[in-house]
């Protein structure tokens, strides 16, 4: 699966999480919003990486946007785990 395929999968996950979190009766709504944010950042990073490699056909600059986005996308799911305590 290429960069754009991964971006599409992450984008679909982001949309799904955001749509699920729209309902105010959803338990652990902040966690779903954070999971959606994380997926959106991963999708953005994959789109930028694919754009450089496939469309522009140039080497990806260092530090790459995908690398920054990948590092940043790890923070929201960590926070989401704190919003949705296990064992309930």
């Amino acid at each position: 699966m290429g960069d754009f395929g991964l971006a599409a999968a992450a984008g679909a996950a982001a949309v799904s999480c955001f749509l699920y979190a729209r309902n105010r009766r959803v338990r652990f709504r902040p966690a779903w919003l954070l999971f959606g944010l994380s997926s959106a950042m991963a999708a953005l990073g994959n789109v930028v990486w694919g754009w450089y490699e496939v469309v522009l056909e140039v080497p990806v600059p260092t530090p790459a946007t995908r690398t920054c986005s990948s590092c940043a996308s790890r923070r929201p799911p960590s926070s989401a785990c704190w919003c949705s305590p296990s064992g309930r």
Side-chain angles (χ1 to χ4, degrees), residues 7-8 10-11 16 19 28 32-33 37 44 56-57 62 66-67 72 78 87:
S16 176
L19 288 177
F28 308 124
W32 285 106
L33 290 171
L37 178 64
L44 175 68
L56 299 179
E57 296 180 355
T62 305
R66 179 180 180 183
T67 306
S78 306

Side-chain angles (χ1 to χ4, degrees), residues 3-59:
D3 295 318
F4 292 116
L6 290 171
V15 169
S16 176
C17 289
F18 287 136
L19 288 177
Y20 188 73
R22 265 183 30 180
N23 186 355
R24 296 205 182 269
R25 295 177 302 185
V26 170
R27 194 169 180 197
F28 308 124
R29 186 171 184 239
W32 285 106
L33 290 171
L34 289 169
F35 284 132
L37 178 64
S38 172
S39 297
M41 288 193 301
L44 175 68
N46 280 315
V47 165
V48 170
W49 189 278
W51 186 264
Y52 274 105
E53 283 188 336
V54 178
V55 178
L56 299 179
E57 296 180 355
V58 297

